[in-house]
Amino acid sequence: QVQLVESGGGLVQAGGSLRLSCAASGRTFRNYAMGWFRQAPGKEREFVAAISWSGGNTHYADSVKGRFTISRDNAKNTVYLQMNSLKPEDTAVYYCAADPDLHIATTVEGYDYWGQGTQVTVSS
């Protein structure tokens, strides 16, 4: 079993930056593709970014491309989401997810393990 714990969320002003972290335990982390999703109140969970197990391939939602960067440090069993130029519409609970596969997925259905989420609030 894989456990995922997100951290780094909080309140930030528009235009500011945050870095989210997701610490994984329980399995060999480097063998998992990882993704970040977010969910605003009353909205469906949506894809934000994903990274392959090796870190060699990444994908981003159009809404965050150029502003967010996903990365991972397998030695630390941690995946990161660097969020720059934050906008009020980025406000959501952010979740990390793990996919026990060598490729990456961009849908909720493509991931088997989920963290409990961390709140990101961007004020205008």
Side-chain angles (χ1 to χ4, degrees):
Q1 188 75 357
V2 173
Q3 293 81 46
L4 304 173
V5 180
E6 303 96 335
S7 63
L11 176 64
V12 65
Q13 294 181 350
S17 298
L18 283 174
R19 189 180 74 161
L20 305 184
S21 298
C22 176
S25 62
R27 289 292 225 173
T28 304
F29 179 69
R30 62 183 172 87
N31 291 336
Y32 286 77
M34 300 293 297
W36 284 98
F37 292 75
R38 66 188 182 186
Q39 188 167 23
K43 306 293 184 180
E44 293 188 355
R45 193 167 300 185
E46 66 174 352
F47 170 77
V48 176
I51 188 168
S52 63
W53 69 270
S54 67
N57 291 298
T58 59
H59 290 282
Y60 297 93
D62 288 342
S63 59
V64 307
K65 193 172 298 180
R67 300 188 297 121
F68 291 10
T69 302
I70 188 171
S71 62
R72 67 192 297 163
D73 186 340
N74 289 341
K76 297 180 179 179
N77 289 337
T78 302
V79 63
Y80 305 96
L81 185 68
Q82 178 66 46
M83 305 185 295
N84 299 325
S85 301
L86 283 162
K87 306 174 181 179
E89 52 262 44
D90 294 319
T91 296
V93 176
Y94 283 71
Y95 300 88
C96 67
D99 172 24
D101 206 344
L102 296 179
H103 61 82
I104 60 176
T106 59
T107 63
V108 170
E109 293 77 12
Y111 293 85
D112 291 340
Y113 303 101
W114 295 83
Q116 291 186 288
T118 184
Q119 177 71 47
V120 172
T121 302
V122 184
S123 62
S124 60

